[in-house]
Amino acid sequence: NAGVTQTPKFQVLKTGQSMTLQCAQDMNHNSMYWYRQDPGMGLRLIYYSASEGTTDKGEVPNGYNVSRLNKREFSLRLESAAPSQTSVYFCASNADGVHYGYTFGSGTRLTVV
Amino acid sequence: DQQVKQNSPSLSVQEGRISILNCDYTNSMFDYFLWYKKYPAEGPTFLISISSIKDKNEDGRFTVFLNKSAKHLSLHIVPSQPGDSAVYFCAATHQGAQKLVFGQGTRLTINP
């Protein structure tokens, strides 16, 4: 089925470890996004890529890096994981114009111990 | 600064009754609003939207009302069904923006 695919679905890291969350979409969308969901905080934007080759910081970028590998793929990297990064991470994509809304992946639940 | 606020973390409604979810915003530039629905272990899915040139948009059992002067919108679900139990997120954006700003979410529980 067409959509946004995130891997892995679950991950447990130790403090200080690194990892990359993968995201791929097959809808030929230009824009891609990484959000984190925390209780009481809603969905907060970490980074986004409005088009292939560009990336911009969102509301909570500290501790993260991103790579827009090509039009399909947008990865999120935690270089040195901290317990505060325990969260559910969602990748999303969008065609031309956010007024049309996003298509979200099913999320990655990350626990940092 | 929370530009989009959903002040009710949870709401419980009896099956068949009306559910009303509220959302407030502070940024006067916002001119387009969306509601997303999220089930556990799934990503949010688009539900309904409204442009600032309208004050109401309806889609089946779902209606969104926009009060621009109060910077307030609400989602009405009539009649409420058990399958409506989910977390609902309000989101906003404006012309030329490249991203959505989301509220904190409201967990709706429909009781049989």
Side-chain angles (χ1 to χ4, degrees), chain A residues 51-73:
Chain A
S51 62
E52 186 179 355
T54 68
T55 60
D56 286 284
K57 294 179 180 179
E59 184 184 356
V60 288
N62 291 344
Y64 305 96
N65 286 302
V66 290
S67 295
R68 184 74 183 266
L69 304 171
N70 47 55
K71 192 170 186 179
R72 289 187 63 248
E73 298 171 287

Side-chain angles (χ1 to χ4, degrees), chain A residues 97-102, chain B residues 31-37 45-60 62-66 73-76 89-93 100:
Chain A
V98 292
H99 291 63
Y100 297 102
Y102 296 160
Chain B
D31 60 5
Y32 204 83
F33 306 89
L34 305 90
W35 285 93
Y36 279 79
K37 177 179 182 179
T45 55
F46 170 75
L47 186 59
I48 192 169
S49 61
I50 187 167
S51 164
S52 61
I53 64 173
K54 296 184 175 181
D55 54 17
K56 175 183 173 181
N57 189 28
E58 192 171 356
D59 183 2
F62 302 90
T63 303
V64 57
F65 295 92
L66 176 62
L73 62 155
S74 60
L75 174 68
H76 293 212
F89 290 100
C90 170
T93 189
L100 297 176

